[in-house]
Amino acid sequence: MYASQSRPVLPLPSFEKPVKLLLVVAHDPDALGAVMVEAAQALLAQVGAGVEVIEMPSVLELAAAIALAERMARFDGYVALGCVLRDDPQGDSLLREPAAAITLLGLQGAAVGNGVVCAQDSAQAAGFVAAKAAQAAAAALHLIALSRKWASDTKGIGFRP
């Protein structure tokens, strides 16, 4: 029922200075990762964002790669992309652990869009992974816009009058 309801779409933010994002995608033998990257890149192109793509062995390494990039590279934001299939024996932990780690990165100040999804099988996933990837890319853009807005508001040291 929820999926059939239409929801208003938040317009993409605009940027005075260019943005650069890192897409981190989990390797996927069913090529769902490629579909996700293509959808995220298409959305990011709408705002003229620069994009770099790296691939990790599984969804478990997505947060670690983003954490390394946050410390060692110059990206404005990140998009984690991957698909966990329920028929995988590790399915539950493969979804919980990356979700918690990606959330923690966001709480630490990284502008991260979480595009890690779960599906019963590849056929089901094929129906929605592109939309989820685009949503994750849009979320990263909104977080970048918010961080840029608030970065100009310095709080200073000490008490305010």
Side-chain angles (χ1 to χ4, degrees):
M1 180 181 206
Y2 176 76
S4 66
Q5 296 174 346
S6 65
R7 295 179 8 185
V9 176
L10 191 61
L12 294 177
S14 59
F15 297 94
E16 292 179 14
K17 296 185 328 190
V19 294
K20 184 176 178 187
L21 288 99
L22 177 65
L23 302 183
V24 185
V25 61
H27 176 73
D28 179 359
D30 296 320
L32 294 171
V35 171
M36 296 180 89
V37 167
E38 187 177 309
Q41 286 178 318
L43 183 122
L44 295 170
Q46 293 178 34
V47 298
V51 177
E52 185 174 326
V53 180
I54 61 170
E55 188 175 29
M56 290 286 99
S58 76
V59 294
L60 294 173
E61 294 80 29
L62 297 178
I66 292 169
L68 283 171
E70 179 73 356
R71 284 192 305 273
M72 303 175 81
R74 296 237 180 241
F75 291 99
D76 297 299
Y78 310 91
V79 182
L81 299 172
C83 183
V84 175
L85 301 179
R86 290 223 186 265
D87 61 3
D88 189 308
Q90 294 179 300
D92 288 339
S93 66
L94 284 176
L95 190 59
R96 277 193 308 269
E97 292 174 21
I102 291 166
T103 299
L104 182 58
L105 287 167
L107 293 173
Q108 293 172 343
V112 183
N114 185 350
V116 179
V117 298
C118 185
Q120 293 299 328
D121 53 38
S122 296
Q124 182 192 42
F128 68 86
V129 293
K132 180 59 178 173
Q135 288 172 357
L141 290 174
H142 284 286
L143 290 167
I144 292 167
L146 191 59
S147 69
R148 285 187 177 183
K149 174 186 176 199
W150 287 341
S152 64
D153 298 337
T154 58
K155 294 184 178 181
I157 299 174
F159 296 100
R160 289 194 219 176

